[in-house]
Amino acid sequence: MSLDTAPDSPVRLPFEPLQKTNSVINEPPLVRGLLIGAALAFLSLFLLLPLLSVFVEALRKGLGAYFAAFGDPETLEAIKLTVIAALIAVPLNLVFGLSAAWAITKFEFRGKQFLITLIDLPFSVSPVVAGLVFVLIFGAQGWAQPWFGENVGRVLFSTPGIVLATVFVTFPFIARELIPLMQEQGTEDEQAALSLGATGWQTFTRVTLPNIKWALLYGVLLCNARAMGEFGAVSVVSGHIRGLTNTLPLHIEILYNEYQFVSAFAVASLLALLAMVTLALKSFLEWRYADQLAATRRH
Amino acid sequence: MTAVDRPGRRRSRRTLPGFTPTLGFTLFYLGLIVLIPLAGVFFKASGLGFAGIGQVIGSERVLAALRLSFGAAAIAALLNAVFGSIVAWVFVRYEFPGKRLFDAFIDLPFALPTAVAGIALTALYSENGWIGSVLAHAGLKVAYTPLGIVVAMTFIGLPFVVRTVEPVLREVERDLEEAAATLGARRWQTVLRVIAPAVFPALVTGFALAFARAVGEYGSVIFIAGNFPLVSEIAPLLIIIKLEEFDYPGATAVAATMLVLSFLLLLTINLLQAWTRKK
């Protein structure tokens, strides 16, 4: 064979390539088929069918009944509250994520690993316990309630409590996405910008931000999905006042418990659509910008 | 050379601006949102004393709920360990139609709100649901039994095992498998003795993550559980019931016990993992 063969042209070997046919490092077709079958059956049973059933149940009584569910003023209030909570919680955790990632990845200091562990803490706390935490502070017997009740207003069973609980459960999402990536990127780019006369803020907005924008979007996406879908923590602090302190997931629970199944599933289908959009965008980012996302992006 | 370089590099690192404000804000926000509120639980629990906590935890209903939460979570995590490994294996090693679509759907439990998952699973597994009606013929009742809790917990923990095992499996060198084969190993021996040990630590991590998530899970479980005291009532639900009865000390005692138990379990699993890595 001549040496000037293009490297990507298929090389003809006098024997069959080992990787493809060698039964020694591959499973027989029957085993392969069984394993693929088992995997797909498991995924269909636990993932695809539940997702599909949301839409089937929602459309059980036709399109009219489906859209009627969204005419309910309480549903509209629930949508509004869910969006408000996410609109406050996500930017707060975004600012926190950026600031934590900057401090942790651009500087050396003692106890860094411990700080990262503390940031991850909300992931290992049950949502119900997260809600309980704020009841203990702001509840009728809570230690902060006397002062807050007089000077700020109600926290529990109103929007601030719902926002607080949402902020708590979505706390690590963005920081966790940014820290490994910015650790990998180091500080050379920023040093160069500074030595060329950029101010600190210019360095951040023109050098750091463009470097991390896709990872940032990825984190925001996951943070938002969790913020809009949080149930346990919000359920504890909301008080379930219809039309006032019900988020979409809580509204679904109420409709379901009142046997309004079509409405419950119709509202649920809205959140299921949000989940599918989130997954689609997430897959797209992973496919297109895999190298600009953190290496350890799963949790 | 490096010894001379290092101090200089460290000093130049410090020339980046913004250390004090960003670290300050990070610590302030972390303390305000997470640390102080969580410390409150233990402060409140310590007010009860060991005797007080023991009294709450010792009651039959609380014991049953804790047993159920941890037991069902263990079974669900085990199911996920088995099927998650198969899924990871199939996605890393084989090609088949629809692979990319299925791959995207694996993360569904992260994206789908738990309440939505809860009512969907209940509709599927109740006696007139698609799966429930089939199982009912076989005499198996899933919805409104502890079995339903396992189903919901399996759903919620599904991505953890797959996503921790997948990258490790991808790293396994096929050369090693070929070497094992040339040395006379059967395929199953290679899988068991060469691949399995390499993947095992990741599998344990995935198991631990799925387990931790399932123990605290609330939204997807309460719809399918039926919530009968002593039979299908999970610990997080008991916390909510106690809160609704204004039994704050009782709720705190259960919450603190759950926190301590999960931390201890995660610690044990981490130690176990460090030990297998050393071996």
Side-chain angles (χ1 to χ4, degrees), chain A residues 18-19 24-27 32 35-36 38-40 42-54 56-57 92-93 95-96 99-100 102-103 106-109 115 118-119 121-122 124-129 132-137 139-141 143 164 167-168 171 187 190-191 194 200 225 229 231-232 235-236 249 252-253 256 264-265 268 271-272 275 278-279 282-283 287 298-299, chain B residues 10 12-19 22-23 25-27 29-30 33-38 40-41 44 80 83-84 86-87 89-91 94-96 100 102 104-116 119-125 130-131 144 151 154-155 158 160 163 174 177-178 181 187 191 213 216 218-219 222-223 236 239-240 243 246 248 251-252 255 258-259 263 266:
Chain A
L18 197 61
Q19 288 278 19
V24 169
I25 58 158
N26 272 318
E27 290 72 45
R32 239 169 214 264
L35 285 176
I36 294 178
L40 295 190
F42 179 69
L43 292 181
S44 307
L45 216 61
F46 279 95
L47 297 182
L48 288 192
L49 278 182
L51 186 63
L52 193 65
S53 80
V54 172
V56 172
E57 295 288 334
L92 271 179
N93 285 334
V95 172
F96 163 73
S99 122
W102 182 268
K106 304 293 179 192
F107 303 95
E108 293 299 331
F109 58 93
L115 182 61
L118 286 182
I119 290 175
L121 209 54
S124 48
V125 172
S126 168
V128 170
V129 177
L132 167 86
V133 154
F134 292 108
V135 173
L136 290 184
I137 299 174
Q141 313 162 21
W143 50 266
L164 262 177
V167 169
F168 183 98
F171 184 83
T187 58
E190 283 81 7
Q191 306 276 17
L194 286 172
F231 180 73
S235 167
V236 174
I252 293 174
E253 185 196 19
Y256 188 84
F265 278 100
L271 287 172
T278 303
L279 284 183
K282 183 171 163 298
S283 299
W287 167 69
R298 317 287 189 185
H299 40 80
Chain B
R10 184 157 290 175
S12 71
R13 271 204 164 182
R14 284 276 184 214
T15 60
L16 282 187
F19 179 65
T22 52
L23 186 69
F25 176 71
T26 301
L27 293 177
Y29 189 73
L30 177 73
I33 302 287
V34 178
L35 297 184
I36 296 174
L38 269 184
V41 175
K44 180 97 181 173
N80 273 324
F83 284 97
I86 296 178
V87 170
W89 175 269
V90 162
F91 274 83
Y94 305 150
E95 290 300 326
F96 52 90
R100 192 168 225 148
F102 271 103
F105 270 112
I106 288 176
D107 289 324
L108 183 72
F110 287 153
L112 193 70
T114 52
V116 178
I119 61 170
L121 288 170
T122 311
L124 270 182
Y125 285 90
W130 294 341
I131 303 176
Y144 316 124
V151 168
T154 308
F155 170 86
L158 198 151
F160 290 100
R163 294 308 189 202
R174 301 218 87 178
E177 294 172 45
E178 284 170 10
R187 185 62 190 153
V191 171
R213 176 72 207 261
Y218 174 71
I222 50 154
F223 294 100
I239 295 178
I240 289 194
L243 277 179
F246 298 103
Y248 287 16
T252 312
M258 279 186 70
L259 281 176
F263 284 146
L266 285 181

Side-chain angles (χ1 to χ4, degrees), chain B residues 48-71:
Chain B
L48 300 171
F50 278 111
I53 294 177
Q55 208 170 18
V56 175
I57 301 305
S59 84
E60 202 187 350
R61 192 173 173 189
V62 175
L63 273 181
L66 285 172
R67 251 201 314 267
L68 177 66
S69 272
F70 282 85

Side-chain angles (χ1 to χ4, degrees), chain B residues 136-155:
Chain B
H137 277 295
L140 204 60
K141 200 167 172 301
V142 177
Y144 316 124
T145 69
L147 213 55
I149 298 175
V150 173
V151 168
M153 286 179 171
T154 308
F155 170 86

Side-chain angles (χ1 to χ4, degrees), chain A residues 102-169:
Chain A
W102 182 268
I104 287 173
T105 63
K106 304 293 179 192
F107 303 95
E108 293 299 331
F109 58 93
R110 232 173 242 249
K112 194 190 259 194
Q113 203 51 48
F114 184 60
L115 182 61
I116 296 177
T117 311
L118 286 182
I119 290 175
D120 274 348
L121 209 54
F123 273 147
S124 48
V125 172
S126 168
V128 170
V129 177
L132 167 86
V133 154
F134 292 108
V135 173
L136 290 184
I137 299 174
F138 297 110
Q141 313 162 21
W143 50 266
Q145 191 46 38
W147 186 85
F148 263 89
E150 273 178 28
N151 298 297
V152 184
R154 197 176 202 150
V155 177
L156 217 56
F157 311 136
S158 73
T159 313
I162 291 169
V163 171
L164 262 177
T166 308
V167 169
F168 183 98
V169 292

